[in-house]
Amino acid sequence: MTNCWIIYNGSLISEKFVDQANLMAEAVKKYNVEPVVLKNCDVMMNLQIDLEDRPDFVIFLDKDVLLGQFLKQQGIPVFNDPDIIETCDNKAKQYLKLSQANIPIPKTIIAPKIYKNFSIKQTGYFEKVIAQLKLPMIIKEGHGSFGMKVYLIETEEQFYEKVEELSGVDFVFQEFIASSKGRDIRVNIVGEEVVAAMYRHSETDFRANITNGGTAERVELTEKQINIAKQAAKALGAEYAGVDLLFGKNEEPIVCEVNAAAHIRNIYNVTGVNVGEKLTEYILRKLAL
C-alpha cells in the first residue's frame, strides 16, 4: 500500500498546525494512501544511518528545510522541495525571484545586511529609502507567517525606530499598496492549476489575514488574477502554493507573497475544497503510484 509522511513542526503549540496535518491526512486516505503524521523532531537526522521504513513520499508542512534536505538526500520525494520552501520562507529571496520573472510585486528594496547591535543610520541610506518609497510604507521581516512581522510604517520616527530594532535581521522595505488596505485574495495552486481561492478582508487591520481578525468568502477570479498567481508559483518552482494577491491601481493584481507551506483549513471552511486532495492527486500522478 502506498504510504506517506505528513510532517509539521513539533515546537509550535497552536492546534492549527496539527489540525493542518490531520486535514491533509484525511485527504490522502481518500486515495488509498496510508498517512503517518509526524512532528519534525520525530525524525532523527542521523547522517550515519539510513532511514528505515521510509515512505513513498513526504508532504512537508514545516519550514525545517534541513530536515527536508535530509529526506531528499535519502531519495524520498518531498513536496514542496525543500529548496523551494527555503526560497519562499525568505521574503528577500522570494522577491528577487519574482522580480527576475517580471511578476508584478510592490516596489521593493532589500535592506543591506546589518550586524546586530550595529547601525548604518549615519550613512544616509535610510533617507534614500524614504525618498524612493515614501511614507507610509511596509517593512517586512525576511521570515514570518500569518501576517506576523509585517509593519505599517507611517512616520519617520516609526521608521528609524523599526530599522534600529531590526538590526541583525533580514528584512525588506516595500511600497504600501493603499488601494488594497485590509483586503487581498489567497489563491491555492497545485501543479499549474488553481484549485481554490478566497477573498479576505479586515475592517481593523491593514493586513487581511484571518489569523489577525480578517474574514473570508468565496471569490471568482479574473483571468488576469489566475494567470499572475500561476506565474508567481511557477517562477518560484512551487508545486503547491498559496499565492496572496493585492489590489493595485484599477484593481490590477499584484503579488504580495507566495507561501510554500500554505495552511488549508480556512480555505476549506470557506470553499469546501480540501486542497490536500488535489495535492494528493497531483503527487500520485507525478510519481506514477
Side-chain angles (χ1 to χ4, degrees):
M1 184 177 187
T2 302
N3 65 92
C4 77
W5 288 356
I6 298 170
I7 294 178
Y8 71 101
N9 196 284
S11 67
L12 299 173
I13 60 174
S14 172
E15 284 297 314
K16 65 186 173 186
F17 296 100
V18 67
D19 173 70
Q20 158 95 331
N22 288 335
L23 186 59
M24 193 69 75
E26 289 176 22
V28 303
K29 285 179 183 177
K30 292 186 177 181
Y31 296 87
N32 295 316
V33 176
E34 183 63 34
V36 179
V37 175
L38 297 169
K39 302 180 181 70
N40 66 319
C41 52
D42 290 332
V43 183
M44 183 73 71
M45 288 187 278
N46 188 329
L47 303 185
Q48 286 70 50
I49 301 175
D50 286 337
L51 282 175
E52 296 180 0
D53 302 319
R54 61 184 56 220
D56 293 298
F57 62 90
V58 172
I59 297 177
F60 208 76
L61 303 179
D62 191 23
K63 296 180 179 180
D64 186 345
V65 293
L66 292 177
L67 175 57
Q69 293 286 6
F70 173 76
L71 295 171
K72 183 179 173 182
Q73 188 171 301
Q74 294 275 328
I76 302 168
V78 181
F79 298 88
N80 273 306
D81 185 284
D83 291 337
I84 307 308
I85 294 174
E86 184 172 28
T87 296
C88 290
D89 189 41
N90 185 315
K91 302 293 193 301
K93 281 187 177 181
Q94 177 180 146
Y95 292 130
L96 280 168
K97 286 271 193 182
L98 292 173
S99 175
Q100 184 181 34
N102 295 314
I103 305 298
I105 60 174
K107 294 175 185 175
T108 301
I109 296 173
I110 298 173
K113 185 174 183 64
I114 304 169
Y115 289 98
K116 188 172 177 58
N117 300 324
F118 289 84
S119 174
I120 60 168
K121 190 174 180 179
Q122 72 285 356
T123 65
Y125 178 86
F126 294 136
E127 286 79 2
K128 293 177 185 176
V129 171
I130 294 173
Q132 290 184 34
L133 294 183
K134 313 299 182 190
L135 293 169
M137 77 170 69
I138 298 295
I139 289 180
K140 185 180 293 187
E141 293 189 37
H143 303 280
S145 302
F146 307 107
M148 306 301 289
K149 301 184 180 180
V150 177
Y151 314 102
L152 177 59
I153 306 299
E154 299 181 283
T155 67
E156 288 194 15
E157 182 181 3
Q158 289 176 338
F159 177 91
Y160 287 107
E161 182 179 308
K162 183 57 66 176
V163 296
E164 291 300 300
E165 177 188 320
L166 294 181
S167 173
V169 175
D170 292 339
F171 66 97
V172 301
F173 305 99
Q174 209 163 58
E175 170 192 15
F176 175 52
I177 308 298
S179 53
S180 199
K181 182 178 181 181
R183 63 192 187 113
D184 71 5
I185 292 176
R186 163 59 62 87
V187 184
N188 274 97
I189 292 175
V190 174
E192 296 186 6
E193 177 189 359
V194 171
V195 298
M198 61 182 173
Y199 171 68
R200 305 185 297 190
H201 51 98
S202 173
E203 300 299 324
T204 58
D205 200 296
F206 72 96
R207 299 160 296 186
N209 303 72
I210 295 173
T211 301
N212 297 320
T215 56
E217 59 198 56
R218 287 172 175 266
V219 64
E220 288 293 326
L221 299 176
T222 66
E223 280 300 313
K224 185 165 279 191
Q225 288 168 339
I226 291 170
N227 290 336
I228 287 177
K230 286 182 177 180
Q231 289 167 19
K234 186 175 182 179
L236 297 173
E239 295 175 277
Y240 159 57
V243 181
D244 294 341
L245 298 177
L246 301 176
F247 298 89
K249 186 177 180 181
N250 299 321
E251 302 292 90
E252 288 290 301
I254 298 173
V255 175
C256 177
E257 61 184 64
V258 179
N259 302 275
H263 276 235
I264 60 174
R265 170 59 70 181
N266 288 331
I267 207 160
Y268 174 68
N269 291 344
V270 170
T271 68
V273 175
N274 185 338
V275 177
E277 294 179 18
K278 301 293 186 180
L279 178 59
T280 305
E281 288 179 5
Y282 172 81
I283 292 171
L284 294 177
R285 186 167 61 248
K286 178 173 182 177
L287 300 180
L289 294 173

